[in-house]
Amino acid sequence: LWTVPGDTVFSPFAGIGSEGYVSLLKKRKFLGCELKESYWKIAIKNLEEAHKKRQQGTLFGDFESQQSCAKDEICNA
């Protein structure tokens, strides 16, 4: 909520990577820690998926980023 593209989001209790997943899709960097190995393994898969999805782009690409900027008020286009 309080970050802009390029910022780093830190989650000291990353769990299965939900915060990281959204952070990556919203063009933020992510740093997370997790003690439970089973959660960590799931987080790795989720973060890899978000990374691939972000690189892939979408059919409407630029239109979606303009809509997002209109909602957020802060935009680095």
Side-chain angles (χ1 to χ4, degrees):
L1 180 62
W2 302 105
T3 63
V4 295
D7 280 357
T8 300
V9 175
F10 174 64
S11 179
F13 308 101
I16 61 168
S18 302
E19 290 172 315
Y21 186 91
V22 174
S23 297
L24 294 176
L25 291 182
K26 295 289 185 178
K27 299 182 181 171
R28 275 72 168 167
K29 300 171 195 154
F30 177 72
L31 179 62
C33 302
E34 180 53 53
L35 293 175
K36 191 169 182 178
E37 186 176 359
S38 61
Y39 287 178
W40 177 77
K41 288 179 180 180
I42 295 169
I44 295 297
K45 290 178 185 177
N46 289 337
L47 296 172
E48 286 173 345
E49 181 184 327
H51 183 69
K52 287 178 190 174
K53 205 178 239 189
R54 180 174 152 183
Q55 288 181 326
Q56 182 179 6
T58 64
L59 179 62
F60 298 103
D62 206 33
F63 176 76
E64 288 177 342
S65 71
Q66 290 173 1
Q67 295 299 315
S68 175
C69 291
K71 291 177 190 174
D72 293 342
E73 292 184 28
I74 299 173
C75 181
N76 295 341

